[in-house]
């Protein structure tokens, strides 16, 4: 998904209309059909049927998209507008007429079985809106958010952008719709990626407009299924030694779970061989509990970990705070390894504490606290600016974790939008580091391994939440069980 300011997509659409490539009405029908397909594939709705649709509509084309989408569902539809009778644009009036005809004709059968939910569609205002909302629109946004709060089974979908969010800046000048999923039209607008916007945008999807030609200059993208193309397909004759070997340095007394999760995630993500190097003190525990596919090796010192024999290395999950000699041994390992090195958790803390010189082949995966330890300036900067300045000083691959993770190598930048608050618990980062290493060992470039790893782990979280009956939280162990589906590339 490309990221462009509103002006760019607006000019591209107008140029398309001027050339006669399509019409506004035809483009609307195309967008509605693609949105319906996207909704059908959402893991957030897996196993649930939409038994009711509540549409909040303004007057413009966003309302037409929302009404047209509502008409595609065989259930009751409630339309909430800013005025009665509604004063729609010509294209939107056509979609409203279709919806009214369908309801009057009695072609809205109620489905009888399965767990149901309410789909709330925000079609109030689009990305062209500027500044604070007028009183009538502010009232409608409040009503939508109130319905969201009062219907725990609901899913809020914003068309193009959550109403009230400033598309180019991410400013929040007043009332803003709180969406669970936003379906951007044509491209993602910069404001959707701004710090703080994620609580209103939710997960990001994008409907590309094939008739509309955008300039191929975007350096920022939102991670999407096309990333799976970065993972080379396996030859039919592939065997374990050609499927990538991962070495993992992890675990210590009290933190064996981090090592286990990382190693088992690497196995699940397709690494042909996974070797886990841990201190002798925890070897008996890990050897007994970790998946049998993992080769567990006790070491008296990190100096015993080989610098050769693997295509990717992970350093850090649960290693604690090594003393000076062991920290130096880890540093030599990281510097001497000939391949991508994922530095995570205590590996990052050790690097910050000992002022390591980070080599370019490293993939760093800090959360906000770890980022501030590595780069104190981060406390004063936006997340995007933190990434930009950090990579100017320390060229490597950076995955800055958060609700909207940023992945960059200084040339390509990806924002990840999968996952959700149900992943707010321990061990998720350990799984992520194992997945990234496995993808890198199988031939993904560092930046693509990090971006695809973040995308797949977030998607696995959504699938796990759905399997658990839309649980409030899913554990890192549950995440590993749904990784195969997420990595198949078949889910949205």
């Amino acid at each position: 998904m490309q990221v462009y300011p509103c002006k760019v997509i607006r000019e591209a659409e107008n140029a398309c209309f001027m050339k006669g490539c399509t019409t506004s009405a035809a483009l609307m029908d195309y967008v509605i059909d693609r949105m319906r397909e996207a909704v059908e594939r959402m893991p957030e709705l897996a196993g649930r049927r939409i038994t009711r649709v509540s549409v909040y509509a303004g007057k413009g084309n966003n309302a037409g998209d929302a009404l047209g989408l509502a008409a595609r569902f065989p259930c009751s539809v409630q339309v909430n507008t800013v005025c009665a009778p509604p004063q729609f644009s010509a294209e939107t009036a056509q979609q409203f007429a279709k919806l009214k005809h369908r309801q009057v004709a009695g072609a809205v059968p109620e489905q009888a079985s399965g767990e149901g939910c309410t789909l709330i569609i925000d079609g109030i205002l689009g990305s062209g809106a500027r500044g604070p909302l007028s009183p009538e629109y502010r009232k409608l946004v409040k009503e939508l958010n109130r319905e969201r709060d009062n219907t725990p089974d609901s899913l809020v979908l914003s068309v193009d952008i959550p109403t009230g969010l400033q598309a180019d800046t991410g400013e929040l000048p007043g009332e803003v719709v709180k969406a669970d999923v936003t379906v951007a039209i044509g491209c993602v607008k910069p404001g959707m990626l701004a710090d703080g916007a994620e609580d209103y945008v939710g997960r990001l999807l994008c409907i590309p407009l094939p008739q509309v030609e955008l300039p191929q200059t975007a350096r920022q993208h939102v991670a999407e299924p096309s990333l799976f193309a970065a993972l080379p397909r396996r030859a039919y004759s592939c065997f374990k030694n050609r499927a990538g070997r991962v070495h993992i340095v992890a675990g210590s007394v009290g933190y064996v779970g981090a090592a286990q999760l990382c190693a088992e995630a690497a196995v699940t993500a397709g690494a042909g061989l996974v070797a886990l190097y841990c201190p002798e003190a925890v070897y008996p525990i890990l050897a007994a509990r970790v998946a049998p596919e993992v080769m567990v090796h006790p070491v008296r010192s990190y100096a015993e970990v080989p610098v050769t024999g693997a295509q990717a290395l992970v350093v850090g999950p649960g290693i604690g705070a090594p003393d000076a000699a062991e920290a130096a041994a880890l540093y030599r390992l990281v510097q001497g390894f000939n391949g991508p090195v994922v530095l995570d958790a205590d590996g990052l803390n050790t690097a910050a504490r000992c002022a390591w010189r980070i080599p370019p082949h490293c993939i760093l995966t800090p959360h906000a606290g770890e980022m501030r330890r590595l780069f104190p300036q981060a406390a004063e900067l936006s997340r995007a600016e933190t990434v930009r300045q950090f990579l100017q000083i320390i060229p490597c691959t950076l995955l800055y974790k958060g609700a909207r993770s940023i992945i960059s190598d200084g040339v390509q930048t990806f924002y990840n939008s999968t996952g959700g608050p149900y992943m707010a618990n321990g061990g998720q980062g350990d799984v992520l580091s194992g997945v990234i290493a496995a993808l890198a060992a199988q031939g993904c470039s560092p930046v693509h391994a990090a971006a695809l790893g973040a995308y797949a782990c977030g998607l696995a979280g959504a699938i796990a939440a759905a399997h658990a009956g839309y649980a409030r939280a899913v554990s890192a162990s549950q995440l590993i069980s749904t990784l195969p589906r997420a990595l198949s590339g078949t889910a949205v």
Side-chain angles (χ1 to χ4, degrees):
M1 303 180 215
Q2 297 175 308
V3 182
Y4 286 110
C6 294
K7 180 182 178 181
V8 174
I9 182 68
R10 189 162 55 246
E11 290 176 349
E13 286 181 355
N14 289 337
C16 181
F17 297 147
M18 291 287 289
K19 292 177 183 176
C21 299
T22 187
T23 65
S24 181
L27 204 59
M28 181 176 290
D29 283 332
Y30 175 85
V31 167
I32 292 167
D33 288 340
R34 300 295 81 74
M35 283 199 297
R36 177 68 175 98
E37 292 169 2
V39 170
E40 288 178 338
R41 297 195 303 270
M42 284 181 187
E44 292 91 343
L45 292 173
R48 290 199 288 185
R49 60 189 178 86
I50 296 171
T51 54
R52 176 175 167 270
V53 177
S54 181
V55 181
Y56 289 79
K59 303 174 184 178
N61 285 354
N62 255 43
D65 294 334
L67 292 164
L69 177 61
R72 302 304 201 267
F73 295 100
C75 62
S76 62
V77 178
Q78 176 182 338
V79 178
N80 310 276
T81 61
V82 289
C83 56
Q87 300 170 0
F88 294 137
S89 67
E91 292 86 352
T92 298
Q94 291 176 5
Q95 298 297 336
F96 185 60
K98 293 177 186 177
L99 178 61
K100 293 290 288 183
H101 174 74
R102 191 206 68 177
Q103 290 178 308
V104 170
V108 192
E110 292 289 346
Q111 300 179 39
S113 62
E115 183 183 356
C117 74
T118 296
L119 177 65
I120 302 173
I121 306 176
D122 163 29
I124 304 173
L125 290 174
S127 55
R130 297 289 183 272
L133 300 176
S134 65
E136 59 180 356
Y137 285 111
R138 188 163 60 245
K139 178 183 177 183
L140 204 58
V141 169
K142 285 184 176 180
E143 290 176 1
L144 187 156
N145 286 336
R146 189 179 304 116
E147 181 176 0
R148 177 184 190 268
D149 292 340
N150 292 337
T151 51
D153 70 334
S154 66
L155 184 137
V156 177
L157 183 150
S158 281
V159 175
D160 199 26
I161 192 168
T163 298
L165 179 70
Q166 302 300 287
D168 284 340
T169 65
E171 293 178 28
L172 308 166
E175 294 291 333
V176 179
V177 166
K178 293 180 179 177
D180 300 299
V181 177
T182 296
V183 182
I185 308 301
C187 67
V188 174
K189 289 70 181 178
M192 300 176 180
L193 305 174
D195 292 354
E198 61 271 17
D199 282 334
Y200 301 90
V201 174
R203 188 158 79 90
L204 259 171
L205 301 176
C206 186
I207 304 296
L209 303 175
Q211 307 95 325
V212 177
E213 295 183 6
L214 287 167
Q216 298 302 307
T217 56
R219 294 184 61 191
Q220 295 185 328
H221 299 79
V222 175
E224 59 182 333
S226 62
L227 277 171
F228 286 100
L231 184 61
R233 292 187 66 170
R234 291 183 174 182
Y236 189 76
S237 59
C238 184
F239 56 94
K240 62 184 179 183
N241 287 317
R242 291 183 180 172
R245 180 171 179 137
V246 174
H247 287 177
I248 298 171
V249 178
S252 62
V253 175
Y255 298 98
V256 294
Q260 179 177 359
L261 289 167
C262 182
E264 293 181 357
V267 170
T268 305
L273 292 166
V274 177
L276 173 59
Y277 295 88
C278 64
E280 288 182 326
V282 296
Y283 168 74
I285 302 170
L286 279 169
R289 63 183 276 178
V290 78
E293 295 86 356
V294 178
M295 299 172 287
V296 186
H297 302 283
V299 294
R300 289 168 294 180
S301 167
Y302 292 132
E304 298 175 9
V305 180
V307 296
T308 60
Q311 285 70 52
L313 171 69
V314 182
V315 173
I319 63 172
D323 62 26
E326 288 302 282
L330 282 177
Y331 182 59
R332 289 191 296 272
L333 173 64
V334 169
Q335 288 284 344
F337 189 80
N338 186 26
V341 178
V342 182
L343 270 182
D344 182 43
D346 291 327
L348 294 168
N349 293 332
T350 302
R353 187 178 71 252
C354 300
W356 285 4
R357 181 177 172 274
I358 305 294
H361 60 269
C362 280
I363 303 171
L364 277 56
T365 61
H367 55 56
E370 292 160 347
M371 190 75 240
R372 288 192 295 270
R373 287 189 279 275
L374 284 168
F375 191 59
Q377 300 94 309
E380 307 298 327
L381 301 172
S382 70
R383 286 171 55 81
E385 186 62 17
T386 295
V387 170
R388 189 187 71 80
Q389 291 193 22
F390 181 85
L391 291 175
Q392 283 185 336
I393 299 169
I394 305 173
C396 63
T397 299
L398 179 64
L399 192 165
Y400 191 4
K401 291 188 288 197
R404 192 74 80 231
S405 294
I406 306 176
I407 305 98
S408 182
D409 61 357
V411 178
Q412 297 183 81
T413 298
F414 297 90
Y415 289 79
N416 186 57
S417 177
T418 58
Y422 37 77
M423 296 173 68
N425 49 48
Q428 303 285 349
D430 305 314
V431 171
L432 175 62
S433 62
V435 171
I436 293 172
L439 296 174
Q442 293 173 77
C444 275
S445 69
V447 70
H448 285 111
L452 179 53
Y455 178 88
C457 284
L459 194 56
I463 296 168
H467 284 183
Y470 303 93
R472 183 175 179 83
V474 295
S475 68
S477 298
Q478 289 173 289
L479 197 74
I480 292 175
S481 69
T482 54
L483 267 173
R485 167 82 192 284
L487 284 165
S488 71
T490 59
V492 173

